[in-house]
């Protein structure tokens, strides 16, 4: 019984071929393709407004030299947002519950921000490893601590996104299972758990959006430290 709760996190396969890549590319099909006109319908207008809002929020903490990352960060935000929200639909698979995928997104982008800082301003980037005014006896320990905290940033990004989405999906499945099990025995309690399930689903929609935003926002803050 316990193993069945985690079956939803297994990558679907067709004839032995993993379909996780198809799950990642499917959200792109929901976006309208560009046409000859700037605005084709109301949906494209809403999409343009939403992308502009996302880009404005992500570029706010960055200076002008970081605005060249606008397309990358906005595209990543849109991808994560659509994948997280589509994963809340019944009988769907959420690729962002896989730590391997989240790490594959977090590590290269974090490494790019780090290499950007080491190339453009190496002394300032290395200066983050040692706070100003540190007593001499504490210098080796602080350098070791700051280096460790720097290296675990991509791991923290991936684990945060994976853990929050996995916990939400497990809670939804547990409460929905309890609702169906209590329906023939205690209908009143079943109605109460169904109400809790509805509120939890609304909460998970908010968590899916917030986690996508936090993932990209932290990347933009890491970028700001290195430009």
């Amino acid at each position: 019984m316990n193993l069945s709760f985690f079956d939803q996190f297994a990558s679907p396969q067709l004839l032995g071929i993993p379909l996780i890549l198809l799950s990642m590319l499917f959200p792109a099909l929901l976006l309208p393709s560009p046409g000859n006109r700037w605005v084709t319908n109301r949906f494209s207008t809403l999409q343009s407004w939403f992308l502009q809002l996302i880009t404005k929020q992500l570029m706010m903490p960055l200076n002008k030299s970081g605005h060249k990352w606008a397309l990358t960060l906005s595209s990543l935000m849109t991808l994560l947002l659509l994948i997280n929200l589509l994963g809340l639909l019944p009988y769907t698979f959420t690729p962002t519950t896989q730590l391997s995928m989240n790490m594959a997104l977090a590590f290269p982008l974090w490494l790019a921000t780090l290499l950007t800082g080491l190339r453009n301003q190496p002394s300032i980037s290395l200066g983050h490893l040692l706070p100003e005014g540190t007593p001499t006896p504490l210098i080796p320990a602080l350098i070791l601590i700051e280096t460790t905290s720097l290296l675990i940033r991509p791991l923290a990004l991936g684990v945060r996104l994976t853990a929050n989405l996995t916990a939400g999906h497990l809670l939804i499945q547990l409460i929905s299972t309890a609702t169906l099990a209590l329906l023939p025995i205690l209908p009143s309690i079943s109605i109460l758990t169904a109400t809790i399930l509805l509120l939890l689903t609304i909460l998970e929609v908010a968590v899916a959006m917030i986690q996508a935003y936090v993932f990209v926002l932290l990347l933009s803050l890491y970028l700001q430290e290195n430009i």
Side-chain angles (χ1 to χ4, degrees), residues 69-139:
W69 288 68
L71 180 60
T72 301
L73 295 179
S74 299
S75 302
L76 178 62
M77 173 75 181
T78 306
L79 175 68
L80 291 177
L81 186 60
L82 290 176
I83 288 178
N84 293 349
L85 292 178
L86 289 175
L88 294 174
L89 297 175
Y91 303 105
T92 56
F93 173 69
T94 312
T96 45
T97 57
Q98 307 293 314
L99 182 60
S100 57
M101 173 187 166
N102 296 334
M103 290 300 299
L105 291 175
F107 183 77
L109 292 173
W110 166 83
L111 186 61
T113 61
L114 183 63
L115 294 179
T116 299
L118 292 177
R119 183 190 64 180
N120 296 335
Q121 45 182 19
S123 58
I124 297 178
S125 297
L126 294 176
H128 291 305
L129 301 178
L130 184 63
E132 187 177 356
T134 304
T136 304
L138 297 179
I139 289 179

Side-chain angles (χ1 to χ4, degrees), residues 192-214:
L192 178 61
T193 54
T195 305
I196 296 175
L197 178 61
L198 177 61
L199 296 177
L200 180 62
T201 304
I202 297 174
L203 177 63
E204 283 305 310
V205 172
V207 169
M209 294 187 290
I210 291 172
Q211 289 303 316
Y213 176 69
V214 168

